[in-house]
Amino acid sequence: MKIVRAKDYYDMSRKAANIISAQIIMKPDCVLGLATGSTPIGTYEQLVEWYKKGDLDFSSVTTINLDEYRGVTKEDPHSYYYFMREKLFSQVNIDLSRTYIPDGMDDDAQHACRFYEEIISRCGGIDLQLLGLGHNGHIGFNEPGTAFEARTHLVNLTEATRKANQRFFADDENVPRQAYTMGIKSIMQAKKIVVVVSGKDKAEALCAAVQGEITPNVQASVLQLHNDVTIVADQEACSLLEV
Ligand code: GLP
């Protein structure tokens, strides 16, 4: 595991965007695994800026997102589909037919999950997976206790996760109770993984993930077993790490 220490959120975003840019430049038809949440927003902003300057070309890139709320339409501003379109897809020259996000409106969970796994393998696997980190150590929507063997599956969101995401919704009742997420097994098959972490409130989760025991209770701790993980974290997020 490599830990890249950034000064602040802006520096973290630029460093992560640099790694993703290198991937796109080295392999223009790469498959990027993408994440939502507030942490990667600055990374996407930086990628858009470099695209607008003419330094990046997304025309052959494929993207596969980690997760989506269940029962939320693509047009709903709370959907991860909407988020991705707004923050990245509508601002670069990506071919929308090569952007994949679990279908939150597919009621048939078995079908939705199997179909998504088929997409991942049809695309030839993920070259670079971008991840954020939940306060309880989750990645994607893989909640504490989930078997590391899980592939894409339906999740009942914990109250802690619903609370953490409540800031995006009008009130608590509107926060979805379920989501589809790529499982740890699907994530761990990515060739390269980049995790962005920012803020003091993530320091404990980051410490548990990189220096703690490898346990399903801290889903991100499994990343210690992957052979190409880069964690880009700002000073506050690193505050509890041993030097
Ligand atoms: C959600 C997402 C995760 C994300 C996490 C942290 O639960 N499903 O993919 O990493 O939130 O989000 P944030 O970056 O906003 O703290």
Side-chain angles (χ1 to χ4, degrees):
M1 240 180 196
K2 262 179 247 131
I3 300 184
V4 174
R5 289 168 190 255
K7 284 196 288 284
D8 50 24
Y9 179 77
Y10 179 68
D11 189 31
M12 176 208 74
S13 303
R14 279 177 61 90
K15 284 181 160 64
N18 257 306
I19 300 171
I20 298 169
S21 301
Q23 174 69 64
I24 298 172
I25 291 165
M26 299 301 282
K27 187 178 176 191
D29 61 347
C30 64
V31 178
L32 298 178
L34 297 181
T36 51
S38 36
T39 316
I41 291 176
T43 305
Y44 295 142
E45 281 172 359
Q46 189 58 76
L47 290 173
V48 168
E49 192 183 314
W50 286 332
Y51 163 73
K52 287 188 174 157
K53 273 193 184 157
D55 290 341
L56 274 179
D57 176 14
F58 288 81
S59 61
S60 304
V61 170
T62 295
T63 63
I64 302 182
N65 262 77
L66 277 172
D67 46 14
E68 178 60 284
Y69 288 118
R70 191 181 195 204
V72 173
T73 64
K74 290 179 173 176
E75 295 71 34
D76 187 321
H78 300 108
S79 73
Y80 285 168
Y81 180 89
Y82 191 97
F83 174 102
M84 288 311 302
R85 207 175 38 192
E86 189 185 73
K87 306 288 182 221
L88 185 68
F89 300 158
S90 65
Q91 303 205 53
V92 297
N93 65 336
I94 199 158
D95 175 352
L96 279 180
S97 69
R98 272 205 294 268
T99 62
Y100 299 99
I101 299 182
D103 181 0
M105 292 308 285
D106 189 341
D107 273 345
D108 181 345
Q110 239 188 351
H111 173 265
C113 298
R114 210 181 30 226
F115 184 62
Y116 209 60
E117 283 295 325
E118 272 169 32
I119 288 172
I120 300 171
S121 63
R122 225 189 302 137
C123 292
I126 293 169
D127 291 299
L128 184 155
Q129 175 69 55
L130 177 65
L131 295 175
L133 180 67
H135 292 102
N136 59 8
H138 76 214
I139 45 183
F141 266 134
N142 291 284
E143 297 285 30
T146 312
F148 286 154
E149 285 304 300
R151 291 186 178 275
T152 303
H153 61 287
L154 177 66
V155 185
N156 292 318
L157 299 175
T158 61
E159 276 315 300
T161 296
R162 292 186 68 242
K163 231 191 177 84
N165 287 303
Q166 197 195 316
R167 64 191 192 278
F168 300 112
F169 295 83
D171 62 61
D172 181 46
E173 271 317 293
N174 292 333
V175 185
R177 294 180 185 277
Q178 292 186 312
Y180 290 123
T181 185
M182 266 165 59
I184 294 297
K185 184 127 193 186
S186 340
I187 294 170
M188 287 293 277
Q189 281 173 347
K191 294 189 188 93
K192 184 180 186 68
I193 296 178
V194 176
V195 193
V196 282
V197 197
S198 169
K200 233 187 174 63
D201 57 317
K202 295 287 176 72
E204 247 178 74
L206 181 60
C207 194
V210 307
Q211 287 170 353
E213 179 198 351
I214 300 172
T215 163
N217 295 330
V218 181
Q219 293 278 298
S221 64
V222 76
L223 298 174
Q224 295 177 37
L225 301 175
H226 193 282
N227 64 9
D228 192 351
V229 175
T230 304
I231 297 190
V232 188
D234 65 14
Q235 240 167 35
E236 289 194 342
C238 289
S239 57
L240 296 177
L241 291 186
E242 284 160 22
V243 179

